[in-house]
Amino acid sequence: MKEKLDLLLERSQSKYFNYPVSAILECFDGKLFYGVNVETASPQAGICAERNAIFSAISCGYQKKDFKRLYLKAKTNKELYPCFICRQALVEFCEENMEIVIYFGDREKIVTVKELTPFSFSGDDLK
Ligand SMILES: [Zn+2]
């Protein structure tokens, strides 16, 4: 999956922060949804790679029960973790035991949504 993420990085639109990120959401049926970060001059109008992949899957009718694993890679060897806006989307649209595989150069780290989002807030808290 790392090679696909590297190819996907070339589609990132990140001329303002120059921080390309790619994401692939793998579903249990084998379907892959791709995402890259897309920046605009107004940062709030852009989107991160993680949410791009998740929202694409949702747009195609997939749901949290269908999501097997999320893969992430940035065009840097530094450790990368999803931003807090993406963490909120992960809490709401992915199972808490879904794995997130994050590549840092030649290394990789696997964390679950729950490990990444302790003390999270979701729609259940509004009931
Ligand atoms: Zn994000």
Side-chain angles (χ1 to χ4, degrees):
M1 204 61 81
K2 187 178 169 193
E3 294 75 23
K4 284 184 180 179
L5 288 165
D6 280 331
L7 289 172
L8 201 54
L9 280 174
E10 300 306 317
R11 297 183 189 165
S12 167
Q13 299 295 310
S14 51
K15 66 182 181 183
Y16 298 104
F17 291 99
N18 193 27
Y19 195 82
V21 180
S22 59
I24 297 175
L25 181 62
E26 178 183 30
C27 295
F28 285 107
D29 69 358
K31 177 84 174 161
L32 302 176
F33 289 94
Y34 298 155
V36 295
N37 56 329
V38 179
E39 296 177 357
T40 68
S42 176
Q44 295 86 353
I47 190 168
C48 299
E50 302 93 310
R51 280 178 290 135
N52 215 347
I54 293 168
F55 295 165
S56 176
I58 290 170
S59 298
C60 289
Y62 284 74
Q63 301 173 6
K64 64 167 59 178
K65 65 176 177 46
D66 303 314
F67 303 155
K68 181 178 181 182
R69 198 172 287 125
L70 179 68
Y71 299 87
L72 288 178
K73 190 171 189 311
K75 204 170 193 174
T76 173
N77 290 336
K78 294 180 182 174
E79 291 198 8
L80 157 81
Y81 294 96
C83 75
F84 280 83
I85 296 173
C86 285
R87 291 182 197 209
Q88 185 65 38
L90 287 163
V91 165
E92 299 209 23
F93 298 112
C94 301
E95 300 288 357
E96 65 181 24
N97 62 350
M98 187 190 80
E99 291 181 338
I100 304 167
V101 181
I102 308 169
Y103 296 101
F104 315 115
D106 292 330
R107 297 173 295 139
E108 69 176 57
K109 185 176 236 176
I110 300 174
V111 296
T112 65
V113 170
K114 182 72 174 176
E115 291 169 335
L116 191 64
T117 59
F119 310 109
S120 61
F121 179 80
S122 73
D124 292 338
D125 296 310
L126 298 174
K127 295 175 185 169

